[in-house]
Amino acid sequence: MNPADLGLPVDVPSTALFTDQYELTMLQAALRATTADRRSVFEVFTRRLPDGRRYGVVAGTGRVLDAVENFRFDAGVLDFLREQNIVDEATLQWLATYRFSGDIWGYPEGEVYFPGSPIMRVEGSFAECVLLETVILSILNHDSAIAAAASRMSSAAGGRRLIEMGARRTHELAAVASARAAYVGGFNSTSDLAAGFRYAIPTVGTSAHAFTLLHDSERDAFQAQVDSLGRGTTLLVDTYDVAEAVRTAVDIAGPELGAVRIDSGDLLLVAHRVRQQLDELGAVNTKIVVTSDLDEYAIASLAAAPVDAYGVGTQLVTGSGHPTCSMVYKLVARAHSADPKAPLEPVAKKSLGGKMSIGGRKWAARRLDAQGVAEAEVIGVGEVPSELLDQQLLVELVKGGDIVAREPLDAARERHIAARAGLPMSAIQLSKGEPVLPTEYL
């Protein structure tokens, strides 16, 4: 079974109320003013990357497509809006038949982005596009933040395996989305079974300290786990004395012991001691997994340690200090009338405080140097220069209301690996710096 074929919404019957009230009050006013049907273009972008970050990662695109498909105002939702007097009856009647019928273009999931990148472009009538603002932003802001943190951790891990294990540190639905985004950003597996079921992400997990404490001795606990899960299991060795636990673990499981997990202490020192002890006991193929509130900096500090895998929780699901990407959804062009042939006119917000936007329906391309390494994010309105035609970034996601770009999650994961590899080498530095690519406007 492919879980993506389940067609599940985000664990609710409809995504229509994943929105702010002013989306509906704007709709009501536009319907009364007869401007609701004007052809419009909205774009998602961020004015800046989180402080010190060198690139962003697009994640959540697949979830956006699910949310758009399930954006329906059923009887229960309409009754709520009526009872709360949110909008008038004419607007409720309009909402009752709502189906997004426009087009959506965007950076494909897993791609990297920079300040100003038109990460997603939503086109259709003002009425049908404005309703999607909040749900699109909530998904992209969250998932892209997690994926960016995951990407940095993946770079720091240097090819060692990464386990997402943050479900107990965030909201239960956010945990599933976080596991998905982490997988896009380079993690290998998750402890969260809902994420495994929904998105076919590999799941892992064996035991916690409670299992050891349950038994009369550590030996009894290890024996019970090996009897149940086999010699290839991972035994948690820091409940009492690490050295004694390692001796007991190998005595019970033998050299076929799959792995030991260390969850506390000076991980660098303990990992070296455990590796030496395992080798002396003949368990040369037994792996070492470390956990304990890791982030990308802690992972990098363990580069010289004999560690085979990292388990990351809190810092991952909170974006490693940056839990949102500050993406916005702005109207950048609209027609002067509801006539389908009316030309689009650029519009833009002009304000103080760095919150200006640039009008016009945009394209984006990534210019490469002679060695094929990215050197600039180029954004423009109108014709795309011929030399950039093959480097365009936006792809069609929804056409006439129909989803046209669903893909396996592994495709997004592989795309991210390739996109990150195409950046200058300084992109993976963990020290604070400016975006690794400049944004150029044509």
Side-chain angles (χ1 to χ4, degrees):
M1 178 191 69
N2 181 0
D5 294 335
L6 293 172
L8 296 177
V10 192
D11 290 321
V12 293
S14 166
T15 54
L17 291 186
F18 286 178
T19 191
D20 292 307
Q21 181 168 317
Y22 80 168
E23 317 288 9
L24 300 187
T25 54
M26 282 192 288
L27 169 64
Q28 176 177 299
L31 288 171
R32 289 187 179 187
T34 68
T35 53
D37 289 332
R38 289 185 176 185
R39 190 159 58 101
S40 300
V41 179
F42 287 82
E43 288 177 352
V44 176
F45 63 93
T46 185
R47 296 182 177 94
R48 64 191 67 84
L49 296 180
D51 184 41
R53 295 286 175 88
R54 296 172 185 264
Y55 63 92
V57 181
V58 178
T61 307
R63 295 209 307 121
V64 167
L65 298 182
D66 291 341
V68 170
E69 191 170 59
N70 288 285
F71 205 90
R72 304 282 187 268
F73 292 84
D74 57 28
V77 169
L78 293 171
D79 286 345
F80 164 77
L81 297 175
R82 183 178 291 109
E83 291 164 3
Q84 298 299 315
N85 197 30
I86 304 296
V87 289
D88 61 22
E89 194 62 33
T91 304
L92 291 172
Q93 292 179 19
W94 189 94
L95 292 172
T97 60
Y98 177 86
R99 299 290 187 275
F100 181 72
S101 63
D103 303 328
I104 299 178
W105 290 70
Y107 280 38
E109 190 158 19
E111 184 57 84
V112 296
Y113 71 88
F114 298 91
S117 297
I119 295 162
M120 187 167 286
R121 189 175 71 221
V122 182
E123 305 181 31
S125 70
F126 175 85
E128 62 181 340
C129 294
V130 75
L131 293 180
L132 299 177
E133 174 181 6
T134 303
V135 70
I136 287 177
L137 287 179
S138 67
I139 293 171
L140 293 181
N141 267 312
H142 173 270
D143 289 23
S144 297
I146 307 306
S151 179
R152 286 164 59 85
M153 293 174 189
S154 174
S155 293
R160 296 172 178 177
R161 298 185 70 79
L162 289 161
I163 307 163
E164 184 282 316
M165 46 195 307
R168 63 191 61 194
R169 297 291 187 255
T170 188
H171 184 278
E172 64 270 21
L173 295 184
V176 181
S178 294
R180 183 187 184 281
Y183 190 69
V184 171
F187 273 58
N188 304 96
S189 57
T190 179
S191 66
D192 190 87
L193 290 177
F197 172 73
R198 180 67 182 90
Y199 298 115
I201 300 169
T203 60
V204 297
T206 51
S207 67
H209 292 102
F211 186 76
T212 301
L213 295 170
L214 167 69
H215 291 80
D216 295 335
S217 69
E218 192 168 51
R219 173 173 289 275
D220 288 346
F222 287 178
Q223 187 67 63
Q225 184 174 327
V226 170
D227 288 346
S228 174
L229 301 178
R231 296 176 184 273
T233 190
T234 298
L235 294 175
L236 180 59
V237 295
D238 71 327
T239 304
Y240 304 118
D241 178 84
V242 172
E244 180 60 30
V246 171
R247 279 193 292 273
T248 302
V250 176
D251 184 47
I252 291 172
E256 296 85 8
L257 175 62
V260 296
R261 178 162 74 94
I262 307 166
D263 188 50
S264 59
D266 183 337
L267 297 178
L268 179 62
L269 176 63
V270 175
H272 277 288
R273 289 178 174 174
V274 168
R275 181 72 271 161
Q276 180 179 356
Q277 187 180 11
L278 286 170
D279 291 347
E280 290 173 350
L281 292 170
V284 294
N285 294 318
T286 298
K287 308 298 184 183
I288 296 176
V289 180
V290 297
T291 51
S292 187
D293 206 26
L294 300 176
D295 62 10
E296 60 265 48
Y297 302 103
I299 291 171
S301 73
L302 292 167
V307 172
D308 299 287
Y310 306 92
V312 190
T314 302
Q315 293 302 316
L316 176 62
V317 299
T318 57
S320 196
H322 298 289
T324 182
C325 302
S326 299
M327 294 178 185
V328 295
Y329 183 96
K330 296 298 181 184
L331 181 66
V332 297
R334 52 86 173 164
H336 188 67
S337 71
D339 184 347
K341 297 181 181 180
L344 290 171
E345 301 175 353
V347 294
K349 174 181 178 180
K350 298 191 181 299
S351 67
L352 301 176
K355 297 186 72 173
M356 293 179 61
S357 58
I358 298 173
R361 181 180 185 274
K362 299 174 195 67
W363 51 263
R366 191 160 296 147
R367 191 173 68 238
L368 309 180
D369 65 16
Q371 285 71 45
V373 177
E375 63 178 10
E377 193 87 340
V378 186
I379 300 168
V381 176
E383 292 294 322
V384 182
S386 58
E387 66 273 18
L388 294 176
L389 286 174
D390 293 337
Q391 305 301 329
Q392 293 187 79
L393 293 163
L394 280 84
V395 299
E396 194 168 31
L397 303 171
V398 178
K399 182 176 183 179
D402 295 326
I403 311 288
V404 296
R406 277 207 171 92
E407 62 181 4
L409 195 58
D410 279 328
R413 174 186 171 84
E414 292 166 6
R415 181 180 296 115
H416 176 63
I417 294 171
R420 189 176 64 191
L423 297 176
M425 291 187 65
S426 58
I428 62 173
Q429 291 179 338
L430 296 181
S431 57
K432 289 187 176 181
E434 296 299 313
V436 72
L437 296 186
T439 301
E440 299 178 1
Y441 291 94
L442 297 183

